Amino acid sequence: MKINKTDLLKRQLKALETMDIKTLQAKFLELYGYETTARNVDALIRRVAYRLQEFHLGGLSEEDAEFLDELAEKDDLANLVNAPAAKARKNAGTRYVREWHGKTYEVIFREDGKYELEGAFYSSLSAAAFAITGTHWNGKLFFGVK
């Protein structure tokens, strides 16, 4: 019997409605790769449902995700930081380090405005985070930069 991907997704989404907070948090960890402290069941259901749909139906293209990340990086309200202060910390040679699934990754901000990861260059910190995880992340969030 062949499994219809759409029916499988519908069953997974329906199952979310019966999950308690602990089960939803575990599902979130499974899908996103990090723990959440969220305690709102409805919000967690929406986030987990989004991720399931993203896996089954596809998410944003890398180009669109980079565009949105770059747009957000320029918006003081999106980052909740003072933009001039954030730019002052981003000097050539700045190193961003993150452990992911037991491996330590180091990204270096270069003079040309590119981010270097293991010899490859990326236009944004978010693109480097995507190269590490295979999923779309806000680069500042992934590397813990406030």
Side-chain angles (χ1 to χ4, degrees):
M1 176 177 166
K2 185 177 178 184
I3 297 174
N4 182 316
K5 289 172 75 174
T6 304
D7 289 340
L8 178 61
L9 175 60
K10 286 179 183 178
R11 285 195 304 253
Q12 290 177 328
L13 294 174
K14 186 72 174 162
L16 296 177
E17 297 172 9
T18 63
M19 292 183 183
D20 63 16
I21 192 72
K22 293 287 185 199
T23 307
L24 284 166
Q25 287 174 329
K27 190 69 171 172
F28 182 95
L29 173 62
E30 175 188 332
L31 294 171
Y32 283 90
Y34 62 94
E35 292 183 0
T36 180
T37 57
R39 303 280 311 154
N40 183 305
V41 171
D42 291 332
L44 266 175
I45 287 174
R46 285 192 302 273
R47 291 181 73 188
V48 169
Y50 174 84
R51 190 61 150 199
L52 288 170
Q53 291 173 79
E54 185 178 41
F55 285 145
H56 284 277
L57 305 173
L60 291 174
S61 68
E62 185 174 343
E63 180 181 310
D64 289 342
E66 284 183 32
F67 170 76
L68 292 173
D69 285 337
E70 289 171 12
L71 197 61
E73 285 176 12
K74 296 174 187 172
D75 185 345
D76 291 348
L77 293 176
N79 291 296
L80 300 177
V81 296
N82 183 338
K87 288 181 182 177
R89 288 192 310 251
K90 194 165 77 171
N91 298 321
T94 299
R95 296 176 185 276
Y96 302 90
V97 180
R98 167 74 192 262
E99 184 177 319
W100 181 257
H101 294 298
K103 182 177 176 185
T104 301
Y105 294 90
E106 182 178 86
V107 174
I108 302 168
F109 183 72
R110 297 296 182 188
E111 289 179 0
D112 61 356
K114 299 283 184 182
Y115 294 85
E116 182 180 1
L117 169 67
E118 300 178 336
F121 292 88
Y122 300 91
S123 61
S124 69
L125 200 53
S126 298
F130 179 84
I132 293 168
T133 66
T135 60
H136 297 287
W137 280 79
N138 176 299
K140 291 180 179 180
L141 178 66
F142 182 77
F143 286 96
V145 179
K146 298 291 180 199

